[in-house]
Amino acid sequence: QAPLASLLKSVHREYRRYDRDLAALERRLGRLEPRGHPPAPTRAGEDDGWLQALLDNIKDSILSLDGAGRLRYINLTGERMFGVEAADMLGRPIAPLLELPGERPLLEFLEDLARERETTSIDLAPTPCAGRRSDGGTFPLEMVVSRVERDGERIYILALRDLSERVAAERALRE
């Protein structure tokens, strides 16, 4: 039981760090230009390269969708995670890359998750779902969704974490 308790404590710490990192990225991604163009610098000395390096080296996939569910931005981690290239995906629907729980439409699902995050003061756990790679293979994910309004347009920001390694570790602990 000690290894399981240690694993749970580690997972909880990761969720808290994940939530802090996501909040910081939400503030920054809300400033993205349409079609995934990098944002303008926000502080003296900060440039586009710094933000792009941050987004490309975070462990999580960060996606930005327009109000119709089309991809506006995907970081390098997302490209690797799903086996796609941003140039091929920008402007296309994101639905083929995700398997959501239940039979709800993507935008309804995202809107509900974003609303829950905005209207509660408790630390919400990420929502489990599955990702679909370009080769058709699926893998377990956790998703956190935020919504921002920019120039009257609704933008969804998704932070996705591949759970493949964690699921394998938990399976090994049970065996």
Side-chain angles (χ1 to χ4, degrees):
Q1 264 190 353
L4 183 57
S6 177
L7 177 64
L8 290 174
K9 188 175 182 180
S10 174
V11 167
H12 183 70
R13 270 194 314 269
E14 282 295 309
Y15 279 152
R16 290 215 176 277
R17 185 191 59 77
Y18 182 59
D19 200 40
R20 282 191 309 271
D21 290 349
L22 178 62
L25 285 171
E26 286 170 358
R27 290 189 298 273
R28 304 298 301 277
L29 287 172
R31 298 182 192 106
L32 277 177
E33 295 297 321
R35 310 318 260 153
H37 297 168
T42 58
R43 286 190 235 151
E46 222 173 62
D47 63 10
D48 296 344
W50 178 88
L51 180 59
Q52 195 60 51
L54 172 77
L55 292 171
D56 285 345
N57 289 288
I58 191 168
K59 182 180 179 177
D60 302 319
S61 175
I62 306 295
L63 285 66
S64 170
L65 310 179
D66 66 16
R70 293 181 302 256
L71 189 68
R72 292 173 48 116
Y73 176 85
I74 183 169
N75 67 345
L76 188 58
T77 304
E79 289 183 73
R80 287 185 207 136
M81 186 182 290
F82 292 103
V84 299
E85 291 190 28
D88 296 333
M89 289 299 300
L90 292 178
R92 292 189 165 179
I94 192 69
L97 299 180
L98 297 175
E99 291 184 6
L100 304 174
E103 298 294 323
R104 297 171 55 206
L106 172 69
L107 292 177
E108 181 181 310
F109 183 77
L110 296 178
E111 187 63 28
D112 285 349
L113 289 179
R115 187 176 20 259
E116 284 178 15
R117 184 166 164 76
E118 291 173 355
T119 60
T120 184
S121 60
I122 62 172
D123 185 16
L124 292 175
T127 301
C129 63
R132 190 176 305 113
R133 292 190 176 88
S134 60
D135 65 6
T138 60
F139 58 100
L141 286 174
E142 339 181 274
M143 174 173 30
V144 176
V145 178
S146 297
R147 178 186 58 227
V148 295
E149 296 279 333
R150 181 162 190 252
D151 298 328
E153 182 183 3
R154 183 168 288 179
I155 300 170
Y156 295 97
I157 300 166
L158 284 63
L160 305 167
R161 178 165 288 178
D162 184 340
L163 298 179
S164 300
E165 290 178 12
R166 185 184 308 167
V167 168
E170 289 172 352
R171 187 178 312 126
L173 277 174
R174 284 192 301 269
E175 293 173 356

